[in-house]
Amino acid sequence: MRFLLLFLAVPLASLAQNHEQFVFDGPAVVIHGGAGGIERKYYTEEQIASYDSSLRVILNAGYAMLEEGHTGMDVVVHCLTLLENNPLFNAGKGAVVNAEGTVELDASVMNGATKKAGAVAGLRHIKNPAKLARDVMDHTPHVLLIGDGAESFAKTRSHEFVENKYFLTPKREGQYQRWKEMKKNGTVGVVLKDAQGDLYAGTSTGGMMGKQYGRVGDVPIIGAGTYADNNGAAVSCTGHGEYFIRENVAFQVNARMQYEGLTLEESASRVIFGVLNEEAGNGGLIAIDANGNVTWTFNSKGMFRGAKGKMKESQKVMIHTDIFGDPTWPEQCGF
Ligand code: ASP
């Protein structure tokens, strides 16, 4: 009841921009490039344009694959790989660094039709963690492999190895020098419905800037940062991972839909604006259900995000991208 009151207390005007929904017909893809203290004043027009065009390139690539009938898992991994290779985002190249100045990467993927999932954590030399997460799902009896063990498994599956410094960009090195003041987060995620009507989710990250060596966040924890179930929704999260682990955010969105009978929209709002706000846990999520309902919901200042699909009402294919939230939205925990 307490969270419900809190949820209801959220001003509707603020919800408008930090909480949008679409309804798609047929296959659709939704991506995020991280949530956090993303405010217009920190970005030049040129930077905004390059984030926007990166999101669009990835949405177009994913949607084209869906239209060609590729399985949703191929599309999730392809989109995550493009996001990981793009230095603008906190995953793969461009990932944040830990307190010791090295990059440790986490990723996971999940198939909502079979509930099969794969995840990796603490990688230091694998160029594309999302591909390895998929291989854990497809080629081991396990769900999560970590660190050296995950990397030695990668050798058996011909993954591309890189030096740890490959992931570092001048921007991240600069941030590392200032990380105590910065408190920045990021992460990338994909949720989609494929041409067969199945739901898929995947998430990939460098974690939190200045994290302790060995720290694992929500992203590779199935149910925390990633979850997909055809009977509920495919969900990918971004934000302060410890809160998302403790609250099992991605699974909780599913559980509220299935056990409380909430819509995707209601469920995502209650988890982000109710449960997380109550704890001052900062972040957001993207989600899609089997009826083509899509939501993005975040309690931070902004979230890099985009969606592409055929709108149910107009039957027109729409691509929509956005970065910032409502500028009057209160910062929940200082990001
Ligand atoms: N959730 C990620 C983590 O805690 C970080 C992020 O989304 O920015 O590792």
Side-chain angles (χ1 to χ4, degrees):
M1 190 61 189
R2 200 147 54 106
F3 75 77
L4 184 61
L5 287 176
L6 240 158
F7 166 66
L8 291 173
V10 171
L12 285 179
S14 299
L15 285 180
Q17 283 188 42
N18 286 34
H19 187 228
E20 283 180 88
Q21 64 166 339
F22 311 100
V23 190
F24 290 118
D25 205 9
V29 56
V30 190
I31 62 177
H32 73 73
I38 300 162
E39 289 183 73
R40 192 170 286 277
K41 64 185 179 199
Y42 300 132
Y43 296 88
T44 63
E45 286 305 317
E46 204 180 319
Q47 285 170 325
I48 292 172
S50 64
Y51 276 104
D52 189 66
S53 69
S54 297
L55 293 171
R56 283 169 185 267
V57 164
I58 294 160
L59 287 167
N60 284 331
Y63 189 71
M65 285 179 75
L66 289 174
E67 278 195 309
E68 286 161 17
H70 287 266
T71 160
M73 186 51 67
D74 286 345
V75 184
V76 162
V77 172
H78 185 70
C79 291
L80 287 177
T81 300
L82 293 176
L83 286 157
E84 287 170 348
N85 292 345
N86 187 323
L88 290 177
F89 302 106
N90 172 20
K93 188 162 182 68
V96 297
V97 294
N98 67 15
E100 311 208 330
T102 54
V103 172
E104 291 176 285
L105 303 167
D106 303 337
S108 65
V109 294
M110 186 162 181
N111 175 333
T114 62
K115 302 275 197 77
K116 285 189 79 182
V120 285
L123 304 180
R124 282 174 295 142
H125 306 102
I126 304 298
K127 186 176 176 198
N128 292 114
K131 287 183 181 166
L132 188 58
R134 187 204 184 143
D135 273 354
V136 170
M137 177 181 78
D138 286 342
H139 300 286
T140 79
H142 309 300
V143 169
L144 171 60
L145 290 183
I146 63 165
D148 291 345
E151 296 203 352
S152 75
F153 166 65
K155 289 190 185 128
T156 70
R157 302 288 321 161
S158 327
H159 281 266
E160 193 171 344
F161 278 67
V162 291
E163 294 287 315
N164 195 262
K165 62 176 187 298
Y166 156 84
F167 300 111
L168 288 173
T169 58
K171 177 177 154 192
R172 294 305 183 199
E173 281 174 288
Q175 276 180 5
Y176 175 57
Q177 304 310 325
R178 311 186 302 273
W179 70 265
K180 280 192 173 139
E181 306 115 67
M182 278 291 302
K183 276 203 185 169
K184 168 118 177 45
N185 52 4
T187 296
V188 301
V190 181
V191 297
L192 59 82
K193 184 171 117 175
D194 70 10
Q196 289 71 45
D198 293 323
L199 304 181
Y200 293 83
T203 316
S204 182
T205 190
M208 309 267 295
M209 177 64 81
K211 66 187 180 181
Q212 189 166 329
Y213 172 52
R215 178 263 190 188
V216 173
D218 59 315
V219 167
I221 310 294
I222 297 300
T226 303
Y227 200 74
D229 181 350
N230 277 5
N231 297 312
V235 183
S236 171
C237 301
T238 171
H240 195 146
E242 280 68 12
Y243 293 90
F244 284 72
I245 294 174
R246 287 192 288 259
E247 290 296 349
N248 242 278
V249 166
F251 181 74
Q252 192 178 152
V253 169
N254 268 276
R256 285 174 180 273
M257 291 173 75
Q258 293 180 48
Y259 306 140
E260 280 187 53
L262 300 186
T263 64
L264 176 67
E265 175 85 356
E266 290 165 343
S267 186
S269 289
R270 289 198 191 172
V271 175
I272 297 294
F273 299 127
V275 177
L276 279 194
N277 272 12
E278 192 170 356
E279 295 179 24
N282 178 278
L285 59 83
I286 54 173
I288 185 167
D289 72 14
N291 294 320
N293 295 299
V294 164
T295 187
W296 46 55
T297 305
F298 52 99
N299 66 11
S300 52
K301 286 287 187 184
M303 179 164 87
F304 299 106
R305 57 200 188 273
K308 184 166 183 179
K310 197 203 296 168
M311 299 296 287
K312 195 160 206 159
E313 229 168 68
S314 65
Q315 290 291 304
K316 289 205 172 96
V317 174
M318 181 208 76
I319 182 163
H320 182 54
T321 53
D322 218 332
I323 298 176
F324 307 107
D326 182 336
T328 65
W329 181 251
E331 292 194 53
Q332 296 303 319
C333 66
F335 280 100

